[in-house]
Amino acid sequence: MKRSGLTICVVFAVVLQFLGVDLVSAVELTGEQSTAVITHCDAIKEDLRKVQKEDSRVRVYLGGYYEAILTKFITPLNVRLVENNLSSAGLVENQNKYVEARTLFVNDFVSYQQALEELVNMGCKEEPGEFYDKLQLVQQKRKIMSQDVLKMRNLISEHVKLVNNLKGRL
């Protein structure tokens, strides 16, 4: 009973860390924890594959969403404003920041997906310590992606504010 409780705790901690909850950083696995990772390796890998599949869908969705905002709203508006001599430095600057943030989002997501793919293909039974270390690295990359998404949301909100300010001046 004691061993199964520890096993459940370790699996739960691994899943929580992968989902972005930072319990501890750079902890050496004990023998019991290594055993738990080895014992539940197949279940952990299956959960990681599910996360990988869902994150891939999110990337496609967000990538399309961000691209549509840029190509159907931000860029056409700025072009139209320039054509009508109403150009706003704030809107142009925000567009540039948006393009940079979008590029960063795409690059960070690709890096995360590659690290996650390596993790899924790792042998958690053969190398539980290295598997856990890689899991922590993937967790950090996922946090970076979350920050990228937050930055994109902030830039979109800022653009809407700038457009409303321009609308009020016209």
Side-chain angles (χ1 to χ4, degrees):
M1 182 69 177
K2 184 177 180 182
R3 178 172 244 177
S4 67
L6 177 63
T7 303
I8 291 170
C9 287
V10 170
V11 170
F12 185 71
V14 168
V15 170
L16 281 178
Q17 280 201 320
F18 185 73
L19 294 175
V21 178
D22 193 14
L23 300 175
V24 280
S25 58
V27 172
E28 189 70 27
L29 291 180
T30 65
E32 290 177 353
Q33 291 170 327
S34 282
T35 303
V37 170
I38 292 167
T39 303
H40 296 286
C41 181
D42 295 332
I44 293 169
K45 287 186 132 191
E46 184 61 33
D47 288 344
L48 289 172
R49 284 186 197 98
K50 287 177 186 175
V51 168
Q52 184 181 32
K53 187 176 182 180
E54 289 301 315
D55 283 354
S56 180
R57 287 182 186 156
V58 168
R59 176 178 169 238
V60 169
Y61 171 77
L62 287 177
Y65 178 72
Y66 295 151
E67 180 67 21
I69 288 173
L70 181 64
T71 60
K72 295 181 179 181
F73 177 65
I74 294 175
T75 303
L77 176 64
N78 283 344
V79 168
R80 182 89 182 234
L81 290 171
V82 168
E83 288 173 351
N84 292 309
N85 294 324
L86 297 170
S87 182
S88 167
L91 287 169
V92 172
E93 182 180 337
N94 196 66
Q95 177 180 354
N96 292 337
K97 287 180 184 178
Y98 185 89
V99 169
E100 289 173 12
R102 187 179 152 277
T103 301
L104 184 63
F105 165 79
V106 169
N107 292 339
D108 287 345
F109 214 115
V110 168
S111 175
Y112 161 72
Q113 286 290 94
Q114 288 171 344
L116 182 56
E117 181 71 27
E118 290 172 11
L119 179 65
V120 168
N121 292 328
M122 262 183 105
C124 53
K125 290 181 180 178
E126 298 81 19
E127 305 168 13
E130 290 179 33
F131 179 82
Y132 188 76
D133 291 342
K134 184 69 170 187
L135 178 66
Q136 288 182 322
L137 174 69
V138 170
Q139 173 195 5
Q140 293 303 316
K141 288 182 180 277
R142 200 163 201 253
K143 284 181 184 179
I144 290 169
M145 278 183 10
S146 295
Q147 293 168 352
D148 291 347
V149 169
L150 182 60
K151 185 174 184 175
M152 293 297 295
R153 286 181 182 170
N154 290 338
L155 288 169
I156 292 167
S157 295
E158 180 63 24
H159 203 80
V160 169
K161 287 178 191 174
L162 290 168
V163 168
N164 286 331
N165 288 343
L166 178 65
K167 183 179 168 185
R169 288 184 297 177
L170 297 178

